[in-house]
């Protein structure tokens, strides 16, 4: 990373900026209410990456028992290429510690950059969901990371 990045559990003050990023990045953006629910829920988490106090990226995760699903991960265009996505994943795994053994996610088939980042972080392709995404219609690649049980 070329800039100092802080990865923090999101607070309500972060929601408006994350919602704005959602609109810039995703064709099906989550609204402020959905993002706030990540903060309110005891089965969801929202982490933000901040550079100089500004939102550079974020990750939303839902979890139950020993399994977590990465619902959203995004890095704003001006901060890409600085390994912020990997930093968000590492912080998420650090927070979960020993409680989560399986991490799942879906990624657009065309998003090779993200797929490579997930692979570098220990995720493996395990399947495909046909026409999972809309606007534009696209298949999803399913990826999973399993902790090695000793």
């Amino acid at each position: 990373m070329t800039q100092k990045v802080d990865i923090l559990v999101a607070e309500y003050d972060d929601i408006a900026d994350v919602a704005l990023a959602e609109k810039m990045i995703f064709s099906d953006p989550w609204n402020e209410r959905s993002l706030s629910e990540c903060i309110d829920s005891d089965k969801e988490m929202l982490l933000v990456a901040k550079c100089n106090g500004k939102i550079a990226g974020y990750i939303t995760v839902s979890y139950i028992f020993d399994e977590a699903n990465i619902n959203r991960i995004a890095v704003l265009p001006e901060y890409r290429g600085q390994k912020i996505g990997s930093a968000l994943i590492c912080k998420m795994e650090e927070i979960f510690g020993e409680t989560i053994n399986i991490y799942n996610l879906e990624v657009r088939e065309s998003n090779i950059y993200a797929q490579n980042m997930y692979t570098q972080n220990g995720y493996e392709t395990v399947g495909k969901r046909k026409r999972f995404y809309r606007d534009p219609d696209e298949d999803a690649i399913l990826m999973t990371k399993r902790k090695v049980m000793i």
Side-chain angles (χ1 to χ4, degrees), residues 1-2 5 7 75 79-90 113 117 120-121:
M1 283 180 239
T2 57
V5 177
I7 309 290
V75 175
Y79 296 101
R80 291 182 184 157
Q82 299 180 46
K83 301 205 179 288
I84 292 172
S86 291
L88 285 159
I89 289 172
C90 289
Y113 181 83
M117 186 262 304
Q120 290 168 6
N121 283 280

Side-chain angles (χ1 to χ4, degrees), residues 14-41:
D14 299 318
I15 296 297
D17 290 334
V18 173
L20 184 60
E22 276 281 306
K23 290 177 186 172
M24 288 181 357
I25 296 168
F26 293 104
S27 62
D28 60 340
W30 287 13
N31 59 32
E32 289 187 25
R33 180 178 175 199
S34 297
L35 293 163
S36 293
E37 288 172 358
C38 292
I39 293 175
D40 294 334
S41 173

Side-chain angles (χ1 to χ4, degrees), residues 132-146:
F132 182 78
Y133 291 105
R134 299 284 173 251
D135 198 17
D137 289 355
E138 189 171 353
D139 296 345
I141 301 299
L142 303 175
M143 300 185 81
T144 295
K145 180 177 182 177
R146 296 179 185 276

